[in-house]
Amino acid sequence: MRLKRLLLATIAAASIFHVVPAIAEAAQCGNTGAGFDAWVVSFKQEAAANGVSPSVLDKAFANVVYNRPTISADRGQKSFKLSFDAFMQKRGGATIITRGKSMKRANAQLFATIERRFGVPAGPLIAIWGMETGFGSYMGNQHTMSAVSTLAYDCRRSAYFTDQLYAALQLVSEGYLNPQARGAAHGEIGQTQFLPRNVVLYGADGDGDGRVDMVGSRADALASTANFLKGHGWQPGAGYQPGEPNFTAIAGWNAATVYQQAIAYIGQQIDAN
């Protein structure tokens, strides 16, 4: 399976990918688009020096531009400051619960298989799936490589997204990410919106075809989400409401408390049926 080789390569190349923020000092961050093109030139030189194939870099950056919608989204995440009730209303929590119960029944065998494999029940997975993309109905329209590159250049979280950019380049090189792919404004990929590094670390083949397709395969997206939660300390059979052991794993998904509470509540309502 190619993703297994990708994961092994990630471990073997840790000395490359995890020291990049310290090495890449010459690629100066910026807070406007003015210096972006120069940053791309500098970053490609440094990435090549760190072992990334020039052909991969040329392919990955062929249509990369400074992505203003990404910056706007990054500066405008106001819904995370809402009260729980207001957040649920804004995000359509009641609809997610209703549709989520139907999704659980329609995909009962898939969710049973995932729970046996990873120890994560259907509820929180369906809650994340519904909250992130409306069960795969809308996965974003922003150019993924531009979004991740823009945030790697932007000074606010440059080191964090430089690591995401190196992960995206890995995915491009292995054929898991089309350089022209489109997704969410921060570069999230697929039906449950994985950032590139999380695809590398937690991507799981849920449908048995030997590949991980976060966009076209709900089985892969949901299995990968369960693997993410397991990797963040999920304990099979333990509760996941606030104060219970598995709430910490949900907190690993999103730093916003109101989002965590919504996932726990929606999941509980779905799992109760």
Side-chain angles (χ1 to χ4, degrees), residues 54-111:
S55 64
V56 169
L57 289 165
D58 288 343
K59 180 168 65 173
F61 281 93
N63 294 293
V64 164
V65 297
Y66 184 75
N67 203 53
R68 298 186 188 282
T70 288
I71 295 299
S72 178
D74 190 59
R75 304 295 192 265
Q77 300 181 67
K78 297 178 181 179
S79 67
F80 292 151
K81 298 179 181 180
L82 296 173
S83 68
F84 175 78
D85 289 341
F87 182 82
M88 286 286 288
Q89 183 174 3
K90 184 175 180 63
R91 292 298 189 100
T95 300
I96 292 172
I97 291 169
T98 300
R99 288 194 61 198
K101 291 176 179 178
S102 297
M103 288 292 187
K104 182 180 178 180
R105 290 192 296 270
N107 297 276
Q109 183 174 351
L110 171 61
F111 285 114

Side-chain angles (χ1 to χ4, degrees), residues 30-37 63-77 141-151 153-154 182 184-187:
N31 292 314
T32 71
F36 182 74
D37 290 344
N63 294 293
V64 164
V65 297
Y66 184 75
N67 203 53
R68 298 186 188 282
T70 288
I71 295 299
S72 178
D74 190 59
R75 304 295 192 265
Q77 300 181 67
N141 62 2
Q142 298 304 310
H143 185 244
T144 297
M145 287 303 303
S146 292
V148 179
S149 298
T150 296
L151 291 170
Y153 161 73
D154 186 63
R182 291 185 174 270
H186 288 76

Side-chain angles (χ1 to χ4, degrees), residues 167-202:
L169 291 171
Q170 277 188 265
L171 296 175
V172 170
S173 71
E174 290 287 332
Y176 285 93
L177 178 64
N178 186 320
Q180 302 312 314
R182 291 185 174 270
H186 288 76
E188 302 96 331
I189 298 165
Q191 297 196 33
T192 55
Q193 302 286 268
F194 267 42
L195 285 169
R197 180 60 68 194
N198 286 334
V199 178
V200 170
L201 293 175
Y202 302 109

Side-chain angles (χ1 to χ4, degrees), residues 9-272:
T10 301
I11 295 170
S15 61
I16 294 175
F17 291 114
H18 293 289
V19 297
V20 167
I23 292 175
E25 292 177 358
Q28 295 296 314
C29 70
N31 292 314
T32 71
F36 182 74
D37 290 344
W39 176 89
V40 168
V41 171
S42 181
F43 176 82
K44 287 175 67 176
Q45 292 172 345
E46 292 158 1
N50 282 325
V52 180
S53 165
S55 64
V56 169
L57 289 165
D58 288 343
K59 180 168 65 173
F61 281 93
N63 294 293
V64 164
V65 297
Y66 184 75
N67 203 53
R68 298 186 188 282
T70 288
I71 295 299
S72 178
D74 190 59
R75 304 295 192 265
Q77 300 181 67
K78 297 178 181 179
S79 67
F80 292 151
K81 298 179 181 180
L82 296 173
S83 68
F84 175 78
D85 289 341
F87 182 82
M88 286 286 288
Q89 183 174 3
K90 184 175 180 63
R91 292 298 189 100
T95 300
I96 292 172
I97 291 169
T98 300
R99 288 194 61 198
K101 291 176 179 178
S102 297
M103 288 292 187
K104 182 180 178 180
R105 290 192 296 270
N107 297 276
Q109 183 174 351
L110 171 61
F111 285 114
T113 299
I114 290 174
E115 185 166 8
R116 285 194 300 271
R117 183 177 174 187
F118 299 105
V120 182
L125 300 177
I126 294 172
I128 290 170
W129 189 23
M131 188 78 75
E132 293 288 351
T133 66
F135 308 104
S137 64
Y138 184 72
M139 289 176 266
N141 62 2
Q142 298 304 310
H143 185 244
T144 297
M145 287 303 303
S146 292
V148 179
S149 298
T150 296
L151 291 170
Y153 161 73
D154 186 63
C155 289
R156 193 168 87 87
R157 291 187 286 174
S158 180
Y160 178 80
F161 277 98
T162 296
D163 179 63
Q164 296 296 336
L165 181 53
Y166 270 84
L169 291 171
Q170 277 188 265
L171 296 175
V172 170
S173 71
E174 290 287 332
Y176 285 93
L177 178 64
N178 186 320
Q180 302 312 314
R182 291 185 174 270
H186 288 76
E188 302 96 331
I189 298 165
Q191 297 196 33
T192 55
Q193 302 286 268
F194 267 42
L195 285 169
R197 180 60 68 194
N198 286 334
V199 178
V200 170
L201 293 175
Y202 302 109
D205 178 12
D207 57 20
D209 69 352
R211 288 186 56 80
V212 174
D213 179 1
M214 301 294 291
V215 174
S217 172
R218 65 176 54 176
D220 288 1
L222 292 165
S224 299
T225 305
N227 195 31
F228 176 97
L229 293 173
K230 180 181 178 181
H232 284 74
W234 191 278
Q235 301 175 31
Y240 57 83
Q241 296 306 297
E244 295 181 326
N246 287 329
F247 190 73
T248 301
I250 292 175
W253 183 266
N254 190 295
T257 300
V258 70
Y259 193 102
Q260 300 160 12
Q261 293 169 338
I263 294 300
Y265 177 80
I266 293 170
Q268 183 183 55
Q269 298 303 304
I270 293 170
D271 277 338

